[in-house]
Amino acid sequence: MLFDLDGTLIDSAPDLGAAADLMRTARGLPSLPLERYRPMAGAGACGMLRVAFDMAPEHKDYEAHKEEFFVHYEACLMQRTQAFAGVGELLDVLRGHGLFWGVVTNKAQRFTLPLTQAMPLFGTAGTIISGDTTPHAKPHPAPLLEAARRLNLSPSVCLYVGDDERDIAAGRAAGMPTVAARYGYLGMDADVSSWGADAEVTYPLGVLKLLELP
């Protein structure tokens, strides 16, 4: 079992949104509610800067704003972030049935490493692949293929769960069955049914029903 991180295993939107909102208030702009940031949290800095400043990567100041966002996020990485309800139980059941599990995220190791080290939840992960572990990030299949390689498993026997269209595209390209996590961030006006996932779940423990595990 392989999982995306933000929006699939953990709810990091409050810290991501807080980092972007701090940039707004520092510039004299009014604060925005978390509800504005949450749907785009899965897109990381790109999503947060789009909400906070309507700024796209093509903007001349984007790279400077992105690094400023990273600095703020690094400072509040674990202040409000927590696992979604049911995730701990889900992972315990998987392990109880002898299933390996791991993480494949587009989040840079700069943030993934301290975050997963701070949360005991990740102590049993068989592998954690960050966005910069391989030369390509999702939707490229390379990170998922690397996770399967590290677990010494064929990609075809791995199931990938994620809350972004890129997750499903990467899983399909890697030859893995995919599950769309509808409880995650999804993005603005996402048409999840068009992603081509093999299945969908509306809460983390729904994965157990797909696997027909008690």
Side-chain angles (χ1 to χ4, degrees), residues 13-24:
D15 284 328
L16 289 163
D21 212 54
L22 183 59
M23 294 175 64
R24 278 183 60 87

Side-chain angles (χ1 to χ4, degrees), residues 59-137:
H59 194 283
K60 63 181 179 63
D61 297 325
Y62 179 81
E63 289 302 321
H65 277 64
K66 182 174 73 171
E67 185 53 38
E68 181 182 345
F69 169 78
F70 284 161
V71 170
H72 286 309
Y73 179 54
E74 209 162 20
C76 70
L77 194 65
M78 284 299 301
Q79 289 184 7
R80 309 162 190 84
T81 293
Q82 57 186 348
F84 283 110
V87 165
E89 183 181 346
L90 165 62
L91 299 179
D92 284 345
V93 172
L94 293 179
R95 290 175 55 235
H97 283 81
L99 296 176
F100 295 110
W101 76 275
V103 173
V104 182
T105 175
N106 273 0
K107 203 182 199 79
Q109 186 173 336
R110 169 181 177 182
F111 311 109
T112 304
L113 192 59
L115 192 153
T116 55
Q117 286 180 340
M119 299 181 74
L121 180 79
F122 296 97
T124 60
T127 187
I128 296 177
I129 305 296
S130 301
D132 47 2
T133 300
T134 67
H136 304 283

Side-chain angles (χ1 to χ4, degrees), residues 2 127 143-155 158 176:
L2 297 174
T127 187
L144 287 168
L145 295 174
E146 176 63 14
R149 186 191 69 79
R150 293 189 181 189
L151 292 173
N152 198 30
L153 294 170
S154 167
C158 299
M176 297 182 183

